[in-house]
Amino acid sequence: MIEETMEIAKRNKKYNRNLAETVLNQDSGLVEAKATKESRRLYNMANQVKCDAHRLNGFTRLDVSKHGILHAEVKAEHEVEDMVVKHFVRRFPNFLIVIASEKGCFIGHKDMKDIIVVKRPLKQVIKDMEDILPINHTLKEFEEFDANLWETFYDSQYLTERKNLGLFLKHIPKKFHDMNGLSVESYKFTGSRKLAEFV
Amino acid sequence: MNTLEKIKLLGAAAKYDTCASSASPRKININSKNNKDRLGDVCAGGVCHSFNQDGRCISLFKVLYSNACSFDCKYCTNASNCKDPAKKAAFHPEELAKTFMQLYIRNYVEGIFLSSAILSDPDNTTEKMIQTIRLIRKKHNFQGYIHFKILPGTNIHLIKEASDYADRLSINLEAPNQSRLSEISSVKNMKNDIIRRQLWMKRMKIPSGQTTQLVVGSSDETDLEILKTINWEYENINLKRAYYSAFIPVPKTPLEKKDRTPLHREHRLYNVDFLMRKYNLPLKDFKQIMDDGMLPKKDPKLALAQATFDGHLDINEASYDDLLRVPGIGPFSAQRIMQFRKKGGKIKKARELHNIGVVMKRALPFIKFNGTYQKTLSEVPGNKFLVPQKTEVIA
């Protein structure tokens, strides 16, 4: 189990080979129980990677191309783009998945052995693929999309009586915090309230 | 009415159903013929796709098929006896299936949660709902998560057909017993309409099992009544889990003037529910910390530990079940402690326990290790900060 954790921790941007060697030299009982400071740090690194991948699996919104391509741009904190591509390949085995980040475009499909990384802009990659690939009838049906669909549904789910901005801000990625009428500056996530709220 | 207007109405009507779980252990056979055109899969742990300003996760496309109801539940805005009923709407199966798939393909949702108000009779409404999920499964070849709500009084054959398509089935209890249910609905019968259906579902193969939901505080039920019923359900119905929804008075309903149930009451019920399910603490233990059948505002595990512990627990000798009773120690920490002890290790320092994952400020008052434990103020000799027990009466 420690080997598996180490493989995941290697993807963390703060991964340190010395830490891994220290952990390997410690008592396996202590390491598996996370009883040492170093093993706990290593497990935390692996958890951060898993959380980053899980967050991207949930928050990435895919765009549809009728040529059988699902694509998106993501901002990953750690090296998890290939994990995200694999997640979507499992989910949509008949489409080409293209996930773009600052490292390049990660391309995957169920018939491809490995994920390919292409260091070109996403728009260019999609255009080149659309020139080669035929129309996919399943995705053609879903190509047109009204963005209001999601906005309307999202707003309908809100229970105003249970407003809890602290919990909301805790879950939502920071890049979405400054939204219409909601800014982190106006609501400090410390639990403290301003005098104006009582007056 | 166009699709957007229907989603606004029918999405809002479904929001009081609190279940957002999208986890399913169902395995997809990647070599099967169906995999050729497959759309979607399930995750064993579920995925959250967004959060609302109430802090709740939005992972499922949660809508009612229709909000036109013939039942008279007093807490519900869709009820037939509502003073100023909302506009009525209903989806067409094709329309609902296509809308859901649009959102799923773009990764806005993880699956669909389909419920409904009861149009004319439960069977008629359920048939239309099954038509929708049949379209989603067969026409669109969707292999992702489906949560299907069973309506009270539905025929067993329709429930069986729904179980062939859904990952999870649920039917809402709403109240802990018939006497409380009759205070909020004159139409539903607990035993015939609800419990009987749950017993049928128990015999069916449902990947994520069955769940239920109770409205907390709509009738004057106590926490003990709720927990007794749920405990019975876990033991006899093989319920996967229960959801508790604090009562919120909805305008124009018969209960609009009733006080809102404080959220901490819902929170404490969830605390005890988890302690019963995951920590295997029996319900009878919680009776000693209840006051007139109501749970305390304090954390139930802490209250129980304060009421039952008569000394400090030795971390290096306690059993797994005893460790679980200590506030700040959960199943993972307890497992790690046992694993560590199995390999011949002994906890000597607080730091080791902290690294394992024990919440020290909660656990320290109840544990000892290496012959030491945290002393209370009264145990410290010569403590000048000790408040005297008796106060003098000044004439």
Side-chain angles (χ1 to χ4, degrees):
Chain A
M1 201 164 110
I2 184 67
E3 290 82 16
E4 201 185 301
T5 306
M6 262 191 209
E7 282 306 308
I8 299 173
K10 274 181 189 166
R11 294 164 176 267
N12 194 306
K13 64 184 180 197
K14 290 182 181 168
Y15 177 72
N16 182 338
R17 202 183 277 183
N18 292 336
L19 174 69
E21 278 169 12
T22 311
V23 168
L24 283 171
N25 290 331
Q26 287 175 343
D27 178 74
S28 64
L30 282 173
V31 166
E32 277 175 31
K34 295 203 273 182
T36 65
K37 198 170 75 172
E38 291 80 15
S39 63
R40 191 160 178 82
R41 267 184 68 200
L42 195 76
Y43 274 103
N44 284 348
M45 278 191 185
N47 273 344
Q48 282 164 10
V49 170
K50 286 186 216 171
C51 282
D52 194 24
H54 186 77
R55 180 180 62 83
L56 288 175
N57 289 346
F59 285 94
T60 302
R61 305 294 182 233
L62 298 169
D63 288 317
V64 172
S65 159
K66 65 184 176 206
H67 292 267
I69 309 168
L70 293 173
H71 55 96
E73 276 194 71
V74 301
K75 204 172 172 186
E77 274 186 58
H78 308 288
E79 287 176 29
V80 295
E81 290 89 344
D82 59 319
M83 289 166 79
V84 175
V85 169
K86 280 180 186 163
H87 167 81
F88 288 118
V89 164
R90 241 187 343 262
R91 184 154 289 202
F92 303 112
N94 301 300
F95 307 137
L96 204 62
I97 306 294
V98 182
I99 301 292
S101 72
E102 52 196 23
K103 296 171 200 127
C105 290
F106 291 72
I107 305 171
H109 187 271
K110 76 170 193 310
D111 295 331
M112 284 163 61
K113 241 186 176 175
D114 296 311
I115 289 165
I116 299 171
V117 185
V118 171
K119 292 198 184 197
R120 280 159 66 206
L122 176 67
K123 277 189 181 151
Q124 208 176 346
V125 168
I126 300 299
K127 190 179 172 303
D128 291 346
M129 284 179 175
E130 284 179 344
D131 290 341
I132 306 166
L133 294 169
I135 304 259
N136 181 294
H137 293 289
T138 308
L139 283 189
K140 190 182 175 194
E141 195 188 337
F142 297 115
E143 204 186 16
E144 275 177 37
F145 177 64
D146 183 357
N148 287 326
L149 203 66
W150 169 251
E151 297 293 333
T152 308
F153 172 69
Y154 178 83
D155 290 338
S156 77
Q157 297 297 295
Y158 176 37
L159 274 164
T160 48
E161 301 88 349
R162 294 179 72 125
K163 186 175 180 177
N164 189 340
L165 287 182
L167 193 59
F168 168 66
L169 289 173
K170 188 180 159 189
H171 288 305
I172 291 282
K174 285 184 183 147
K175 64 179 177 180
F176 296 121
H177 280 187
D178 283 325
M179 288 155 52
N180 293 334
L182 178 73
S183 108
V184 176
E185 305 308 314
S186 64
Y187 185 90
K188 295 285 182 192
F189 185 47
T190 56
S192 61
R193 293 162 72 176
K194 294 181 180 170
L195 183 63
E197 288 179 70
F198 292 101
V199 172
Chain B
M1 205 185 279
N2 65 30
T3 306
L4 278 180
E5 286 167 336
K6 287 183 190 178
I7 287 174
K8 191 174 177 184
L9 264 174
L10 298 171
K15 68 188 176 192
Y16 296 99
D17 244 302
T18 51
C19 179
S21 169
S22 54
S24 176
R26 178 165 50 90
K27 299 266 183 260
I28 290 172
N29 183 359
I30 57 169
N31 296 319
S32 81
K33 278 188 292 189
N34 286 337
N35 197 59
K36 202 166 142 261
D37 302 316
R38 173 170 66 86
L39 267 179
D41 71 347
V42 287
C43 278
V47 180
C48 263
H49 288 265
S50 192
F51 290 87
N52 223 316
Q53 286 182 48
D54 48 27
R56 297 189 306 161
C57 161
I58 302 178
S59 59
L60 300 175
F61 183 56
K62 198 183 285 180
V63 284
L64 298 191
Y65 182 84
S66 167
N67 64 348
C69 197
S70 54
F71 280 25
D72 64 353
C73 305
K74 292 180 183 170
Y75 51 83
C76 183
T77 188
N78 303 316
S80 57
N81 56 352
C82 203
K83 278 182 221 167
D84 182 15
K87 227 170 161 182
K88 298 301 174 192
F91 280 110
H92 296 294
E94 282 272 2
E95 179 191 23
L96 182 50
K98 188 171 179 186
T99 307
F100 163 64
M101 293 308 299
Q102 288 272 23
L103 290 172
Y104 184 80
I105 277 179
R106 285 166 176 77
N107 204 42
Y108 280 97
V109 293
E110 190 66 9
I112 184 168
F113 179 113
L114 186 59
S115 182
S116 185
I118 299 172
L119 286 163
S120 49
D121 69 84
D123 288 345
N124 193 283
T125 312
T126 306
E127 272 168 8
K128 294 197 165 65
M129 289 162 68
I130 290 177
Q131 205 181 340
T132 308
I133 61 170
R134 195 187 299 124
L135 268 172
I136 290 172
R137 283 280 193 234
K138 300 282 183 194
K139 183 185 171 191
H140 297 289
N141 223 325
F142 174 71
Q143 290 299 316
Y145 185 85
I146 294 181
H147 182 143
F148 191 90
K149 186 68 75 179
I150 298 295
L151 307 174
T154 306
N155 187 296
I156 187 173
H157 301 292
L158 290 172
I159 298 176
K160 179 72 185 76
E161 196 180 347
S163 75
D164 291 337
Y165 299 120
D167 287 277
R168 175 168 278 179
L169 296 179
S170 62
I171 183 168
N172 287 358
L173 279 174
E174 309 295 14
N177 49 53
Q178 179 56 41
S179 131
R180 297 295 185 194
L181 185 62
S182 55
E183 286 175 34
I184 52 176
S185 170
S186 66
V187 182
K188 290 185 213 174
N189 181 284
M190 176 74 79
K191 189 178 166 194
N192 293 329
D193 294 335
I194 300 173
I195 307 272
R196 183 170 290 173
R197 269 77 197 157
Q198 288 183 314
L199 289 166
W200 288 343
M201 288 194 274
K202 180 186 170 186
R203 300 198 309 248
M204 298 174 190
K205 272 190 185 157
I206 309 164
S208 292
Q210 61 165 310
T211 60
T212 191
Q213 177 169 289
L214 285 107
V215 181
V216 179
S218 58
S219 51
D220 294 319
E221 77 286 328
T222 60
D223 291 341
L224 183 60
E225 283 178 69
I226 293 175
L227 290 169
K228 264 188 182 161
T229 303
I230 292 302
N231 194 43
W232 182 87
E233 295 253 318
Y234 283 136
E235 286 171 2
N236 297 286
I237 308 268
N238 278 352
L239 200 69
K240 192 76 177 174
R241 65 169 295 185
Y243 291 89
Y244 308 95
S245 177
F247 169 72
I248 298 170
V250 177
K252 315 289 184 200
T253 61
L255 294 180
E256 65 178 330
K257 292 206 165 75
K258 194 170 172 67
D259 288 332
R260 198 185 137 171
T261 301
L263 283 178
H264 74 78
R265 193 176 161 199
E266 180 192 294
H267 188 56
R268 291 297 169 233
L269 282 166
Y270 274 120
N271 287 151
V272 173
D273 185 294
F274 268 76
L275 290 169
M276 288 187 335
R277 271 190 301 129
K278 303 284 182 188
Y279 293 57
N280 293 320
L281 300 186
L283 176 61
K284 62 177 169 50
D285 286 358
F286 294 99
K287 287 182 185 170
Q288 53 194 306
I289 58 166
M290 285 187 188
D291 183 19
D292 267 346
M294 300 299 279
L295 287 166
K297 267 192 181 176
K298 194 191 301 198
D299 176 55
K301 196 177 177 191
L302 172 65
L304 198 60
Q306 284 173 335
T308 55
F309 273 52
D310 54 7
H312 293 87
L313 197 73
D314 193 331
I315 279 285
N316 291 312
E317 284 173 17
S319 67
Y320 176 75
D321 290 335
D322 285 341
L323 285 173
L324 281 184
R325 287 176 171 269
V326 176
I329 298 183
F332 289 129
S333 303
Q335 240 168 39
R336 285 186 207 122
I337 293 170
M338 297 303 290
Q339 217 174 354
F340 178 59
R341 278 163 44 183
K342 243 187 199 173
K343 297 206 171 185
K346 260 197 163 180
I347 307 278
K348 288 177 191 152
K349 297 180 199 167
R351 190 78 213 166
E352 284 168 2
L353 271 182
H354 170 79
N355 288 338
I356 279 173
V358 173
V359 182
M360 295 308 289
K361 70 175 180 186
R362 286 191 207 146
L364 270 178
F366 300 97
I367 56 172
K368 66 180 176 185
F369 46 88
N370 212 22
T372 60
Y373 61 89
Q374 177 175 279
K375 291 186 168 55
T376 59
L377 279 173
S378 54
E379 287 173 285
V380 175
N383 174 25
K384 59 183 176 182
F385 297 107
L386 186 65
V387 175
Q389 294 292 319
K390 288 180 187 165
T391 51
E392 283 177 28
V393 174
I394 300 164

